Amino acid sequence: MHLRAWVRRIAGLPIYPILAAAYPVIFLYAQNVQEAIPPGEIFIPLMLSLAVTLAILFGFWAVARQWAPAALASFLIVVLFFTYGMAWDEVGGLLSAHWVLLTAWLLLAINGLALIWRFRAQARHLTLPLNVMVALGLAFNLVLIGSFVFNLRPVAATSTSGVTASGGQQSTVKSRPDVYWIILEEYGSNSVLKDDFDYDNSPFLDALRDRGFYIADDSTANYLKTAPSIQSARNLTYLDGPELREQAKADDDWGPIYRGLRSPFEVQEFLDSLGYRFIYAGTFWSPMAQHPSAEINYVYDRLTSEFLDVLQRSTMLRALEQVGPTSPYDWRRNRWNQTLYELRSLTHTATLPGPKFVHAQLALDHEPYVFHSDGSFITADQASDLTHEQEYVEQLKYTNTQMLAWVDQLLAVPEDQRPIIMLLADEGPWPAGYRRDERGFDWTTASPAVLKQKFGIMNAVYLPGKNAEQVGFYPTITPVNEFRVLFNAYFGLDLPLLPDRNYIWPNQSDIYDFIDVTAEVAK
């Protein structure tokens, strides 16, 4: 009897507001556990949510002097706070401003609290069912996380491919020009821009040619997403799908590739052996925000993570997005400020002594599109009046202006001091169907036109003192061969070129089943 009484007493404790405060963070993590999100990104919002909810709970208890109604009132506040952003996503387009929905949420809170106060004596009857309901929801997501985390696989030590070591060094390196490898995310080739965005990018490409750049007009990405594309290009070789799958915990576990992105890589280690400094400017995306091997990392210190942005936008903090240009909760403004910081950082790298290898991952031409062509900020309201294609082109025009100004700065030195500059994309723009359903999109059913849009990339190189075509660059070159040609031309290696291939996977649930679609992309 004593045990039963003890169990009943425990079951009757109103813990569901605390569980409810943890639920949104745990749910979002469970839905993205395969993305290898750093634990710190989950711990901070989880602790903050629990602490605030406890404070609210004790506040209501101080008024009601009863735990059951205080817990119910706290639960109401937690639910309203964490569902505001989702409600705005559903009805925001029909409302003139946030104050309308905020008023509705305030009325719900006032009426809900009044109802709880009126029936506070009966509130204890809801404690057990709410405890069970919320606990089951939380437990389900913890099981999802646990089943992924504890499905342990052997993790091979990440190492470089050894490509440059096998290439020999046929002559003494007499000069060591700075090397700039600038990735402009989702920047499509001119044919893609013409066909899918009704935009002719020839003036920009011609301006680069006038400055001595070689444009690989028919260049394509090797993979359809950033992570495998960058990992492949950095190591001058294609990824081994079966080997990566052996290291993964599931077919959709990005962990092996993401660990590779944070590890030493072939290009960096080879240039390091020649005395180059490694300078890195990352992006908002955690796996590429900074690099542990870099001597200098340019990191925007006001930038939150993608996980925190998504979590925040589901809450009532969403209403603060448009408070002003310095609002910490305006994720679009945050991206705008972060990109401006990256561009300033890129400019600053030119002042650093060399020789240096500068790798920058710029989110320009990647959603969200937050730049007008003149560099001014596109508000969410302004963006709603533009088509996806118009937003993309506006940001691309700004990208072009900034890149030309930066290139002119680098080239404003004697010719024998000019750097190697590589401007290219990691992937092409996202087709409409892929944007609507990234995880479920079936790439095996994609038409040649869709594949061409996703794989066609801008690719431009400046080689001081060299003729790009004579040293081995060609119109269809892909990123996996870029550094092979470069190292042969400048550092006396004799690296053979690989076949230029394009790989898809069936969908986001099976990311290591690489399928060669080179023939389809070329149609």
Side-chain angles (χ1 to χ4, degrees), residues 184-202 204-205 209 215-221 365 392-393 396 400 423-430 448-460 475-477 521:
L184 303 173
E185 295 196 8
E186 298 179 29
Y187 195 123
S189 64
N190 198 28
S191 61
V192 167
L193 297 178
K194 287 179 180 178
D195 294 343
D196 299 294
F197 294 86
D198 193 27
Y199 182 74
D200 185 357
N201 202 33
S202 297
F204 171 65
L205 300 178
R209 289 189 180 97
I215 310 298
D217 289 304
D218 300 314
S219 182
T220 53
D365 310 312
Y392 179 93
V393 169
L396 182 133
N400 292 351
L423 292 175
L424 68 159
D426 50 356
E427 56 177 308
W430 288 28
V450 169
L451 291 172
K452 179 183 177 182
Q453 179 178 349
K454 193 71 196 76
F455 281 91
I457 60 171
M458 193 275 287
N459 192 342
T476 57
I477 192 171
V521 172

Side-chain angles (χ1 to χ4, degrees), residues 269-521:
E269 292 202 328
F270 174 70
L271 292 176
D272 180 70
S273 72
L274 297 178
Y276 276 76
R277 309 169 68 192
F278 177 25
I279 315 297
Y280 186 72
T283 182
F284 62 84
W285 185 50
S286 294
M288 297 194 70
Q290 52 186 308
H291 199 285
S293 298
E295 178 183 331
I296 297 174
N297 276 285
Y298 289 97
V299 181
Y300 181 57
D301 59 5
R302 297 183 182 181
L303 190 66
T304 61
S305 70
E306 193 171 12
F307 178 86
L308 292 176
D309 278 343
V310 173
L311 178 65
Q312 163 189 299
R313 298 189 78 237
S314 70
T315 72
M316 200 168 287
L317 295 175
R318 182 75 173 273
L320 301 178
E321 284 186 347
Q322 299 177 30
V323 168
T326 60
S327 170
Y329 302 110
D330 187 343
W331 71 291
R332 292 174 56 81
R333 178 75 68 169
N334 209 343
R335 294 288 179 264
W336 186 76
N337 285 324
Q338 188 264 348
T339 303
L340 291 177
Y341 170 83
E342 265 205 328
L343 291 170
R344 291 195 299 270
S345 300
L346 199 56
T347 299
H348 183 260
T349 61
T351 67
L352 301 174
K356 55 184 176 288
F357 166 50
V358 179
H359 174 20
Q361 188 83 14
L362 296 176
L364 286 165
D365 310 312
H366 184 292
E367 291 187 283
Y369 304 121
V370 293
F371 285 92
H372 285 292
S373 59
D374 63 359
S376 58
F377 178 63
I378 296 181
T379 66
D381 288 340
Q382 292 171 336
S384 65
D385 294 330
L386 300 173
T387 66
H388 168 80
E389 290 74 17
Q390 289 172 329
E391 288 184 274
Y392 179 93
V393 169
E394 279 290 289
Q395 189 142 307
L396 182 133
K397 289 178 179 178
Y398 175 70
T399 302
N400 292 351
T401 301
Q402 294 302 302
M403 288 300 99
L404 285 179
W406 174 69
V407 163
D408 285 342
Q409 174 203 5
L410 291 184
L411 299 184
V413 295
E415 188 170 349
D416 61 353
Q417 298 176 26
R418 290 177 179 175
I420 297 166
I421 307 172
M422 307 164 75
L423 292 175
L424 68 159
D426 50 356
E427 56 177 308
W430 288 28
Y434 190 43
R435 293 201 312 273
R436 288 193 296 269
D437 183 15
E438 178 185 353
R439 187 165 183 82
F441 188 81
D442 185 354
W443 281 102
T444 63
T445 65
S447 67
V450 169
L451 291 172
K452 179 183 177 182
Q453 179 178 349
K454 193 71 196 76
F455 281 91
I457 60 171
M458 193 275 287
N459 192 342
V461 294
Y462 178 84
L463 307 178
K466 305 284 185 181
N467 180 295
E469 289 180 292
Q470 289 179 0
V471 300
F473 280 89
Y474 49 96
T476 57
I477 192 171
T478 61
V480 74
N481 279 320
E482 206 107 340
F483 280 105
R484 287 173 175 263
V485 175
L486 188 72
F487 289 169
N488 290 346
Y490 282 92
F491 305 121
L493 298 188
D494 187 21
L495 300 174
L497 298 191
L498 303 178
D500 290 301
R501 302 295 188 193
N502 314 116
Y503 291 100
I504 61 168
W505 47 67
N507 53 59
Q508 293 283 95
S509 298
D510 196 6
I511 59 174
Y512 297 114
D513 182 11
F514 298 138
I515 302 170
D516 190 335
V517 291
T518 309
E520 286 76 11
V521 172

